Structures are given as C-alpha cells and as structure tokens.
Amino acid sequence: MTSELNQQEAMELLRTMLLIRRFEEGLIQTQKSGISIGHFHVYIGQECTGAAAIALLEPQDKIATTHRNHGHLLARGADPRRLYAEILGKAAGYNKGKGGTLHATVAGLGFLSTSALVGGAVPLAVGAGFAAKQLGERCVSVGFFGDGVLEEGVFFESLNMASLWKLPVVFMCENNSAGALGQSAGEYPGSTIATKQLIDVVAPFGVPASAVDGGDPRAVRDVTQQALARARNGGGPTFIEARTVRWPGSRPLWPELSTGETDVAFAWEPDRIPMAHRDWFANDGLIRYVRQLFDAKLANTKEILALDATVRADLAKAMRFAIEAPYPDPASALDDVFA
Amino acid sequence: MAELTYIEAINSALREELARDRGVYVIGEDVALGGPFGATKGLAAEFGERRVVNTPISEGAIMGLATGAAAMGLRPVIEVMFVDFITLAMDQLVNHAAKLHYMSGGQLGIPLTVRVQQGAAGNGGAQHSQSLEAWFIHVPGLKVVMPSNPADAKGLLTAAIRDDSPVICIEHRALYWTRGEVPDGEHTIPIGRAALRRPGKDVTLVATSRMVEVALEVAGTLANEGIEVEVIDPRSLLPLDLDTITASLRKTGRLVIAHEAVEGAGFGAELLAQVQEAAFDYLDAPIARVGAPFAPVPASPVLEQAFVPGAERLAGAVRKVVLGA
Ligand SMILES: Cc1ncc(C[n+]2csc(CCOP(=O)(O)OP(=O)(O)O)c2C)c(N)n1
Ligand SMILES: [Mg+2]
C-alpha cells in the first residue's frame, strides 16, 4: 500500500523537517551564546521519522515520547515560540516553565508525556491504547522511544500487554545507534543488547514488526500507514524500528554544531560539503530528501531555498519572543502539584 | 594531603579499593567509559573491563545482579546515574539487598555499595533533580551516607565498600567540581560518625550534603550579627550519630535542620523526632526545619532557584529560632 505524496504533501513534509532542523540548530546556538538551557537532546538526523509518521496521525491520536522530543512536538504542530519559551524556562512556555526541554508536553496536541526515564513513555502509550479501546474511540496511541529502551524490562511487559489485549498501539523505536558515529564524540554507546536485530525480540510476542530506513520518509510513511490501519481495525499493536545514524554533534549533555549549520544546497551541490562531513551529509535524511524532491522535479532550488528562508525567519522571531518573554513568578513553583 | 575535586576523590577511592581487593567490581551504565561525570574515569584502562563493567540500561537487573554477586562474596560497587532512576531498582534494593541478611537469619552477607548522585542543579527538571535519601532511611537493612566534601567522599565511599551491609552513598551533583584537601593514601571514615564543621554556642545547625556549604555561609553571615552557629554534618544518616547532635544541643539549646530534599517526611522530620525523644530537656526553642517546598523540582532556572533552599531562607530560620521573632 504505497501512497505517493502529492506535491503539496511533499513540500509540507520538507517544511516540517526543516523546521525541526533549524529549531534545534537555533537552540544550540542560543545555548552557545550563554543562555542556560540545561542538558537537552536533539533530533537532528532523525527528523524524517517523526515528520513522516506524525503527518499521518489523526487529531484524536495520542503520542508518548522521550527526552528526544522536540521533533515530535514540532511535527505535531507545536508553536515554536511556546516550545522555545518552555525550553528557556519562561512563563509563556507550554508547561509554564515547569517541564523544560526534557518534559515539554502539549496535551492539546495529544501528547501524554515526554518522559526522561528510558522506557518511561512506553507503558504510558500502552495505557492510552487501553483507554482508547475501553472508550471505543478510534484513536491510536504511538509511543516514540529509543533503542536503549529495549534494555529495560518495562518494554517487554508493555509489549506483552499490548499484544495480549490487541491494543491500538504503534511502538515506534527510533534506533539511532545504527552507526557508531556519535561514539567518538563521547555520546552514549550504542545499544548494549544481545540480539543482532531489534525486531527479532518482538516477533515471539506475536506483534508484527518491521525495520525501515528512518532517513527515508517514504519508507517510514508506508510502514506507519500499515500500522495505523491495523490498530484502527482492531488488529492490535505494531513495532517499527526506524534506523538512523547518530548525528556527530549529539552529546549526552551539550550538543554542538560540529557539522556546521546545514546548507540545503548540499543536496544539489555536493561539492560544497566540507570534506570532513561528507559521510554525515551523504546519509543525512534531510539532504537526501531535498535531493529526491529536486530529482523528482517536485521542487526547484529556488522554492526550496525560499521555504528554508521562511522557516529560519519564523524561528528567529520565535527565539526572540522566547528570549524576551518573562520568567514565571517564583511562587508559581508551588502551583499544579495536585489537580 | 592533596587537593582534589569531589569527583576525583570518588575516583581515587574506587581506584584504591579495586587495587586492594580483587572482589571489588565497578558495575553500571557507561562506567567503563568513565561515566557521565567522570567518576570512573580511567578505571577500565587500569583494571580491565572484567572488573569495570559496562551494563545495558537495566537498573532493576543491575541492582539484582550486584546483590546476587554480593551474596556470593564479591564487593560490587554499582553506579546509578541519577537517584531519579533508582526507582527502577527499588524492588531489588528494598526487598532483596536490604533484607537478605535478615531473612536468612544472618546467613547471607550483602557487601554491596550503591553510588548515586542527586540534587537540583542545572535545570534538569522533575526527573533529574530529586533528593530521595528519606526513602532509603525508611528501610531497615540499608546504610545511608551523604558526603559533603571531597575528603568525606573518599573516606565514606571507602568505608562503604568495606562494609558487609548494603550501603548507599548519595553524592551531590553540584559538589562534583568543588575542591578540597583529601588525605593521601588510604582514607576511611567510620560510617555513623558526624563531623563538627564549625563550633558555636547559640544554635546547632544540622545540615546534610550540599546544605553544609550553605550552612557554613549562613554561620559566617550570622557571626557578624552576633549569633554563633554550630554546624554539624551528620555524614551518615543511617546509622545516625545522635550523640554528637545532642551534645551540641546541651550547649546551644536550639536546633535548625537543613536539607535539600522536600521537607515533608524528610530526614529532618526523623531527626526532629529523635531529638525531642532524646534531648527534649535541652531545648529552649521549637526546632526549625529548612528544606525544599513540597513540590516536584521545576525546570525553569527561576523556579529551580526558588525551590532549592538557599542561604537567605536558612538564615531567616536560624534568626527566628535564636531571636524568637
Ligand atoms: C531509566 C534511565 N536510565 C538511564 C538514563 C540516562 N540516559 C539518558 S538518555 C540515555 C540513552 C538512551 O538511549 P535511547 O533509549 O536509545 O535513546 P536516544 O538518546 O539514543 O534517543 C540514557 C542511558 C535515563 N534517562 N533513564
Ligand atoms: Mg538510541
């Protein structure tokens, strides 16, 4: 069931990917300028997965995500101004500054949580699937999580229940350890798991599973579409492993723009890519996607550059808004403890 | 004496114990890479990955594995990256490590050391900033220490590793890069002995972990106002050196307790109860507690700052106890 994107959808997908890339590049630069953000995790290099999968969700669908959440929130339509404000700890932030980067959540967009505990989001996603089934809602719950989650027991407990009760859940495992690029930069090591294939550990639970190139939005779109249809038709959960290579600038605590700001023109002028970063940009899903659009004549260079310029201008404004926005009243630290 | 950072002092305790006792193993997420803060830096190169063991992200199984290995006679030192993640290991810690000695009628020894860091610093938000020591002092069978400076970090950790019971060594992340004199070579501090950090005659201020630094600052400020504060660092919450505290109260008649954890059902509540049972007659004023307010730790810098008990609040509480106003 391959569905080709029409031109408008294709450009919308590009817009989302650019939005995420530029949002996080902006964040890294802001942090570097001396504005304290706390430790944060970026989605650079993984944008295709979230952008393509989340574009398929219906308004009533739910999402549970992790510490690597900015891309998911933006793909779902979060306002960059309020997201930046949250990350900078401002009152105008989505969570009044209480959540910060690690816990930025927008309930109105269907987010159940962004858990900073490895594995924390997975049972929550299953719980939403359980509730949706009980309530008879045509809602699917998508749990986004990293490959590291398969090292925690709670993953298997959650998978088991979702399978036993045929819950409308999509387990979206974003495996960013598919290459070892980040390790030399001091990133967490890749998966410490005995299985060679993550999808192999899922099969015995009777949950359909597939692995796709997480940097190929069409591939992600196809498997996600199937998973959503299965969930909506009462067929139960699906496990998807979206494989990407870790961005070299990704660090556990302080990401750095070690590959420089992405130049979309790398897509049509590969000679402009600095020698040191050739490997990275050759695999970068964003640059690959731009090249595909270009080759398929869905967009010309002028249109792509114009879209990028608009996204950047909007984000610059959003960052200015967040930087200028007031901090919350210190006394508000004690609000919201109980409902 | 050498001047070391708190994290270097921890590293040196681990290095010396690994060298001294072949039964010592360092186990945890990324420990062979040095850990996120460098506590285990260089240890894998020196002792090999057989004894400095990287694990999967599996806190529950790490705690259980270390407990089982300890029952076999090894002396595992495990690292839990943030105290917030120890929630995943509480079954093995509370139901197994803490109780196997007792339930076996004393047959099994569990010489396990759990190293973990905690505290609000750097806007980590509600799942990376908690102070949870009160959970552990509620569990019979666990010993709980909280070093407040580099020398104690080394001495208490060394003692913990040599102890035959499970000991939780709770470090404070904000202290990791503070410096202090650390005795050269073997350095142990008996678990269960408090330290007098500053003598004073007007009021006893018992402070734990990072709050010791704050308490000393407050004592300096109040000295200028004519209030002489005696600062005591219990170092070990369980067992607790109540004698040192009551001896101080005999002199001062006044007590203020400071910790970073939320006040409700915290270490301060326990100490307050023990003091009023053991030393009610010495008290000339109600006891005051200073901790964080009863809320999760917020992420925003201004909210985090409002949340963490600071010098101003502590000074206010001490003044009130001393001056009665
Ligand atoms: C329960 C728990 N253990 C350890 C950590 C520390 N930690 C934060 S991110 C991370 C790696 C997680 O890897 P993965 O799930 O693959 O997510 P990624 O960061 O690669 O997206 C670890 C170990 C944590 N946050 N929670
Ligand atoms: Mg990963």
Side-chain angles (χ1 to χ4, degrees):
Chain A
M1 191 180 65
T2 315
S3 65
E4 272 308 315
L5 294 161
N6 65 35
Q7 201 219 7
Q8 197 197 337
E9 288 168 328
M11 288 304 277
E12 183 51 30
L13 196 56
L14 176 63
R15 198 195 66 83
T16 306
M17 286 193 233
L18 281 169
L19 179 69
I20 301 171
R21 176 72 52 102
R22 299 307 187 195
F23 181 92
E24 293 194 320
E25 287 178 348
L27 205 55
I28 294 170
Q29 266 148 356
T30 298
Q31 158 99 356
K32 212 174 159 200
S33 78
I35 293 178
S36 144
I37 294 175
H39 64 291
F40 64 102
H41 304 79
V42 295
Y43 200 53
I44 293 177
Q46 299 179 236
E47 297 95 338
C48 293
T49 306
I54 290 171
L56 296 168
L57 299 186
E58 293 181 9
Q60 76 277 14
D61 292 336
K62 300 294 180 201
I63 297 174
T65 173
T66 66
H67 55 286
R68 211 173 288 285
N69 56 30
H70 304 157
H72 303 143
L73 287 155
L74 290 168
R76 188 68 164 155
D79 176 351
R81 290 178 312 160
R82 296 195 60 198
L83 190 54
Y84 271 148
E86 183 58 34
I87 295 169
L88 298 191
K90 302 301 180 76
Y94 273 114
N95 313 108
K96 308 175 202 167
K98 292 202 168 83
T101 165
L102 286 175
H103 308 296
T105 302
V106 189
L109 294 176
F111 283 84
L112 299 161
S113 94
T114 61
S115 173
L117 274 99
V118 170
V122 176
L124 296 175
V126 173
F130 177 83
K133 189 163 179 171
Q134 296 301 315
L135 297 169
E137 287 177 5
R138 249 180 65 80
C139 146
V140 180
S141 170
V142 184
F144 285 90
F145 54 89
D147 46 293
V149 166
L150 272 71
E151 297 163 27
E152 294 280 12
V154 71
F155 168 76
F156 296 91
E157 300 173 23
S158 307
L159 185 75
N160 187 31
M161 284 193 263
S163 178
L164 281 172
W165 302 331
K166 289 220 169 316
L167 301 180
V169 177
V170 179
F171 292 89
M172 183 66 83
C173 176
E174 299 192 73
N175 180 2
N176 56 4
S177 301
L181 263 178
Q183 289 191 33
S184 55
E187 176 56 289
Y188 290 107
S191 308
T192 314
I193 190 161
T195 184
K196 292 274 177 289
Q197 295 290 332
L198 296 184
I199 56 174
D200 289 350
V201 298
V202 174
F205 288 85
V207 175
S210 48
V212 291
D213 176 353
D216 177 352
R218 287 186 175 81
V220 171
R221 194 179 146 86
D222 286 346
V223 291
T224 308
Q225 225 156 24
Q226 288 168 23
L228 291 170
R230 181 178 297 122
R232 284 196 218 286
N233 296 331
T238 305
F239 178 93
I240 297 169
E241 178 197 352
R243 293 181 178 160
T244 51
V245 169
R246 193 175 316 231
W247 177 53
S250 170
R251 289 265 177 106
L253 297 179
W254 311 113
E256 280 168 22
L257 274 177
S258 63
T259 53
E261 226 178 55
T262 308
D263 181 348
V264 286
F266 290 166
W268 53 82
E269 285 181 59
D271 289 346
R272 287 172 62 157
I273 305 175
M275 224 28 199
H277 308 313
R278 289 266 154 99
D279 282 355
W280 162 252
F281 283 110
N283 280 307
D284 177 18
L286 173 62
I287 294 299
R288 278 160 56 196
Y289 184 59
V290 173
R291 198 175 306 131
Q292 282 168 25
L293 291 181
F294 186 69
D295 290 347
K297 305 218 164 17
L298 284 166
N300 61 34
T301 56
K302 219 171 118 204
E303 286 160 334
I304 293 167
L305 289 169
L307 179 63
D308 187 34
T310 309
V311 167
R312 282 163 176 264
D314 288 349
L315 285 173
K317 266 188 252 162
M319 183 57 93
R320 211 169 315 126
F321 166 84
I323 289 173
E324 286 166 9
Y327 281 109
D329 173 5
S332 71
L334 300 187
D335 298 343
D336 299 319
V337 176
F338 296 107
Chain B
M1 288 278 195
E3 201 185 67
L4 299 182
T5 62
Y6 189 98
I7 200 91
E8 286 165 351
I10 290 164
N11 186 267
S12 98
L14 294 171
R15 173 172 286 108
E16 285 172 23
E17 292 309 290
L18 279 162
R20 196 185 62 85
D21 182 345
R22 293 157 59 92
V24 173
Y25 283 70
V26 171
I27 301 172
E29 294 160 20
D30 297 343
V31 293
L33 299 172
F37 306 104
T40 55
K41 207 168 145 189
L43 299 180
E46 196 170 334
F47 299 97
E49 293 202 26
R50 194 178 67 87
R51 292 187 57 210
V52 181
V53 186
N54 258 4
T55 65
I57 312 168
S58 310
E59 291 79 8
I62 296 166
M63 187 70 78
L65 175 140
T67 301
M72 288 277 289
L74 298 188
R75 285 189 183 271
V77 184
I78 69 166
E79 174 176 304
V80 178
M81 214 182 271
F82 281 72
V83 83
D84 314 76
F85 313 158
I86 212 169
T87 48
L88 280 89
M90 286 302 265
D91 169 55
Q92 287 297 329
L93 179 66
V94 172
N95 288 320
H96 299 89
K99 296 180 174 53
L100 286 176
H101 182 69
Y102 184 86
M103 295 190 299
S104 68
Q107 295 176 78
L108 295 169
I110 308 295
L112 165 70
T113 303
V114 178
R115 278 190 48 245
V116 63
Q117 60 81 22
Q118 69 175 22
N123 320 126
Q127 295 174 346
H128 281 78
S129 309
Q130 299 170 86
S131 290
L132 297 178
E133 66 274 10
W135 287 11
F136 310 118
I137 60 172
H138 196 65
V139 179
L142 301 178
K143 296 185 181 178
V144 182
V145 299
M146 292 181 86
S148 67
N149 61 50
D152 284 10
K154 180 167 181 183
L156 290 169
L157 178 57
T158 304
I161 295 171
R162 297 183 189 182
D163 201 289
D164 288 333
S165 295
V167 182
I168 308 193
C169 194
I170 306 178
E171 301 154 9
H172 197 297
R173 185 165 73 262
L175 295 176
Y176 272 171
W177 297 278
T178 58
R179 304 186 143 283
E181 294 288 325
V182 178
D184 293 326
E186 184 168 291
H187 173 53
T188 67
I189 292 173
I191 294 175
R193 204 158 310 152
L196 177 68
R197 298 290 180 208
R198 178 184 170 123
K201 63 171 179 33
D202 296 325
V203 55
T204 303
L205 176 50
V206 174
T208 61
S209 189
R210 186 194 191 181
M211 289 306 288
V212 173
E213 208 174 65
V214 181
L216 290 171
E217 181 192 332
V218 165
T221 309
L222 295 181
N224 297 329
E225 301 174 18
I227 299 173
E228 290 184 26
V229 182
E230 178 145 299
V231 178
I232 294 177
D233 173 2
R235 302 199 284 198
S236 157
L237 304 197
L238 190 73
L240 179 66
D241 181 0
L242 192 61
D243 290 346
T244 296
I245 296 167
T246 54
S248 170
L249 285 174
R250 197 172 185 158
K251 182 169 64 172
T252 65
R254 293 180 166 82
L255 176 62
V256 177
I257 306 164
H259 54 60
E260 189 182 311
V262 293
E263 277 173 21
F267 166 67
E270 173 61 20
L271 178 58
L272 200 152
Q274 290 195 30
V275 163
Q276 80 91 31
E277 281 163 14
F280 185 71
D281 292 344
Y282 301 157
L283 294 174
D284 297 328
I287 299 170
R289 267 189 302 171
V290 174
F294 200 65
V297 189
S300 169
V302 295
L303 298 183
E304 186 187 90
Q305 212 195 341
F307 177 89
V308 176
E312 211 172 307
R313 261 189 68 211
L314 185 54
V318 176
R319 275 191 206 103
K320 195 161 169 231
V321 165
V322 174
L323 307 173

